[in-house]
Amino acid sequence: MALEWVVLGYAAGAEAIMVLLLTIPGLDGLRKGLTAVTRNLLKPFMSVVPFCLFLLMDIYWKYETRPSCEGESCTPTEHLRHQKSIMKSQRNALLICVALVFYWLLYSVTHLVVKIEQLNQRVERLKNKE
């Protein structure tokens, strides 16, 4: 089960790096190639969304079927295991949110960069006509 979280972490990291590279000023020479690569990767990265929903349902199912450890009915070891399980679930839910937010940011930034390039091309054509 840990492999799916590693894959999601790498996907979120790749999305964050691409957003960072698209928004760093001064990379105008590389931006055209980076935009093309990012646009081609948006569709495969779309698989992150249903994957995140599946993992979120998995967290919810584990939460609902988790044995309760309340009162003095459990030993300190069981109580510690229960607390660790809750912390892992919260960490994994945070990772899911980060992956979804970075995908949305990557999509939005890529769309804006493409629109800016189109507008710059239009301005150049208008300058050349005059």
Side-chain angles (χ1 to χ4, degrees), residues 8-71:
L8 187 63
Y10 282 143
E15 291 169 350
I17 289 170
M18 284 190 280
V19 167
L20 186 66
L21 287 175
L22 282 174
T23 56
I24 289 179
L27 295 178
D28 295 331
L30 295 173
R31 193 166 321 270
K32 198 170 257 191
L34 237 92
T35 305
V37 168
T38 305
R39 286 182 71 184
N40 289 334
L41 287 176
L42 278 176
K43 283 187 182 176
F45 273 146
M46 181 62 179
S47 63
V48 167
V49 175
F51 189 60
C52 285
L53 293 176
F54 168 74
L55 293 176
L56 199 59
M57 288 189 304
D58 183 50
I59 289 174
Y60 178 74
W61 178 79
K62 285 179 182 175
Y63 177 77
E64 286 295 320
T65 59
R66 181 179 300 138
S68 178
C69 188
E70 296 174 358

Side-chain angles (χ1 to χ4, degrees), residues 19 42 102-112:
V19 167
L42 278 176
F102 273 131
Y103 180 78
W104 175 73
L105 281 172
L106 183 63
Y107 178 80
S108 300
V109 167
T110 304
H111 181 70
L112 288 174

Side-chain angles (χ1 to χ4, degrees), residues 67-84:
S68 178
C69 188
E70 296 174 358
E72 298 185 20
S73 63
C74 51
T75 64
T77 306
E78 290 173 340
H79 186 67
L80 185 62
R81 185 180 308 130
H82 181 71
Q83 291 298 322
K84 282 183 180 179

